[in-house]
Amino acid sequence: MSVPADDPATAAALAALLSGGLRLALQPVRPVRRPDLIAFEEGLARVVGPGGIVLPAGAFAQSLERRGLAPALDRA
């Protein structure tokens, strides 16, 4: 599958999928009425792009969805 040359974030996301460049970040979710407690942690995928820079999901998520690759990101 080709990625447009003007879409470097998607190219980096695809490369990360293929090369193990994904990282998992855990974000605590706290109840509004008990902010001192952690209800659970949400797992968030982080794509490490060129130079070790973490790319925001907004830079590539819709493009992966349009290409039918969002499930691959979820599995990874």
Side-chain angles (χ1 to χ4, degrees):
M1 168 162 298
S2 66
V3 176
D6 63 345
D7 193 355
T10 300
L14 289 172
L17 282 171
L18 296 172
S19 68
L22 291 177
R23 300 293 179 261
L24 180 64
L26 296 178
Q27 176 175 307
V29 177
R30 299 175 183 273
V32 172
R33 294 181 184 192
R34 288 293 312 268
D36 57 314
L37 299 177
I38 295 175
F40 59 92
E41 291 183 315
E42 180 180 19
L44 306 169
R46 296 291 185 244
V47 172
V48 180
I53 295 172
V54 176
L55 301 171
F60 59 84
Q62 287 183 346
S63 182
L64 290 180
E65 287 175 9
R66 283 193 305 273
R67 289 174 170 80
L69 295 172
L73 178 64
D74 291 338
R75 285 190 299 274

